[in-house]
Amino acid sequence: MRRGCVYLVGAGPGDPGLLTIKGLDCLKKADVVVYDRLVNPYLLRYARADAELVYAGKSPQGHTLSQAEINELLATRAKAGKTVARLKGGDPFIFGRGGEEAEYLAARGIPFEVVPGVTAAAAVPAYAGIPLTHRSFTSSLAVVTGNEDPLKEDTSIAWDKLSTGVGTLVFLMGVANLPGIVARLLANGRDRETPAAVIQWGTLASQVTVTGTLADIEAKVADAGITNPAVFVVGDVVRLRERLNWFETKPLFGKKVLITRTREQAGVLAEAIAGRGGQPWEFPTIQVLPPADWMPVDLAIERLGSYDWIVFTSVNGVRFFFERLKDCGKDVRALGRARIGAIGPKTQAALEQRGLLVDAVPELYRAEELAAALRALILPGAKVLLPRADVARRLLAEALAQLGAEVTEVAVYRTVPVTEDAACVRDALEKGEIDVVTFTSSSTVRNFVSLISPAEAAALLRGCTVASIGPVTSATARAYGIQVDVEAEQYTVEGLVEAICTYFTGGRALA
């Protein structure tokens, strides 16, 4: 039996982009992933498909597993020869009880490694525009647990030294004890006018920041309804937030954006949304699969040398076509003298990654424009191969046939609905918790409507902004009675995100 190992991995404070490269490597190779309540669920997408996922979250309302049970779970899986990734919010050795888990493993001779993480103590204030140290304000810093009752007689915190001896104080998870913490600081000499801030759900699009002084921060936090998870910062550096608040000024900050494209392709859109301060929510309505019958594709591959043009209308078409070409024991040399057409820059890039130069790309990325771009290039009698989706529009094939071309269409992939439970999305739409719904193809529209309910979809979407990647997708949405508020001028993911940003920073709804 192979020897198991436990990686105690700091998952960072919430923003999945703050996971370290080493932490990601450990997550990807783990047989078992044991994760906490404050670990962003988005990170679990990087786990192996066959990995065992174990939730071990703790909250004030109760623990899924006790610490003793977590310790035993780690040891048991490792003894069975498993590689275990123990994902902990923030850093495992900063109020994360990682030291206790490491001690338990060490006492039993179980190999382990510690992968430090970005602690919330530093990252959360940074995302609120608060540097913890600054030459003009302070050169000292203390990080303190906020879970210890500050009024208990046997406190291990030296409040008399801490209150006035350190420039910046950071209390983790201290909202429940905020009145006691403030009382201790004031009783031990900290000035009532000392700036203070409380940041809830830091580094996420749901981040909320309240600032004040020790004299009024309790009331302001109560008025704002702030609860844990939150970080409490005390010190003159809080004054810098007014000038350094960079995260909460992003164009999509605070916006929850629903992504309906395939799970495999959602990542690019999700990253673009998160990069602009939004909170992506992946709800794939379609999945892309190989065709039910490869025979038509295989016959076309056998005749590749006879085609004058091969025209690709999607990145998926490129991927499936060349995967099948390889399965047939061939490579790009089989394309012979064929010239290449692509519907847009992403499809062009996918072809260039395979060493192919593209001869025709339209300025606008849809079938009508591609047909126009090819009109001057394709001669009557030319043989054209169209590797496409099973449900793609026939407009391009018909337009090429009108030019006198001999067109062969083959379905190299098929788009099928995803049978996910839509109850959570429907509930969120009803409560107005989704700000934007994105559609990147007609298929995403049709399958979204099918999952949500044809009778309810249009009404539910009236409470949020609907964003479409282009006019064809918009037309499909309107056919279902859905109002399209945002339409990308450039029919790409980047164009869609930019259009959404423009809309929320002064754009207008479509007529």
Side-chain angles (χ1 to χ4, degrees), residues 268-282:
V268 174
L269 180 52
E271 289 174 7
I273 290 166
R276 289 160 177 81
Q279 180 180 347
W281 180 1
E282 293 183 21

Side-chain angles (χ1 to χ4, degrees), residues 137-153:
F137 291 87
T138 184
S139 298
S140 59
L141 163 70
V143 180
V144 189
T145 178
N147 278 326
E148 183 186 60
D149 183 351
L151 299 180
K152 68 181 183 181
E153 294 182 3

Side-chain angles (χ1 to χ4, degrees), residues 168-348:
T168 303
L169 302 173
V170 180
F171 295 88
L172 299 183
M173 302 295 282
V175 171
N177 292 324
L178 185 62
I181 294 172
V182 171
R184 283 285 196 179
L185 292 174
L186 295 177
N188 285 277
R190 197 76 175 207
D191 193 304
R192 288 172 52 83
E193 298 307 312
T194 302
V198 173
I199 308 125
Q200 182 186 38
W201 291 113
T203 78
L204 298 174
S206 50
Q207 175 175 304
V208 177
T209 304
V210 174
T211 60
T213 65
L214 287 179
D216 61 14
I217 193 67
E218 294 175 54
K220 288 186 173 182
V221 167
D223 288 344
I226 301 293
T227 59
N228 279 324
V231 170
F232 179 33
V233 184
V234 178
D236 288 338
V237 289
V238 173
R239 302 183 196 277
L240 289 165
R241 169 175 160 78
E242 186 175 345
R243 300 199 300 273
L244 304 183
N245 178 18
W246 60 274
F247 181 54
E248 295 171 30
T249 59
K250 284 178 173 278
L252 296 183
F253 176 75
K255 305 295 184 186
K256 180 176 282 189
V257 182
L258 195 73
I259 300 173
T260 57
R261 69 191 325 215
T262 65
R263 194 176 301 280
E264 294 80 8
Q265 294 179 303
V268 174
L269 180 52
E271 289 174 7
I273 290 166
R276 289 160 177 81
Q279 180 180 347
W281 180 1
E282 293 183 21
F283 178 63
T285 60
I286 61 173
Q287 59 180 326
V288 176
L289 299 174
D293 182 7
W294 279 112
M295 185 174 291
V297 180
D298 293 345
L299 290 174
I301 288 175
E302 287 299 319
R303 300 194 298 266
L304 271 183
S306 67
Y307 292 105
D308 301 293
W309 281 86
I310 304 176
V311 181
F312 294 90
T313 57
S314 70
V315 172
N316 283 323
V318 174
R319 175 167 69 90
F320 280 94
F321 176 81
F322 283 98
E323 285 177 357
R324 189 59 180 177
L325 188 66
K326 183 178 179 181
D327 291 342
C328 292
K330 300 177 183 294
D331 59 23
V332 293
R333 291 173 294 181
L335 274 60
R337 59 186 175 82
R339 302 179 73 184
I340 306 297
I343 199 168
K346 293 299 182 183
T347 305
Q348 179 181 10

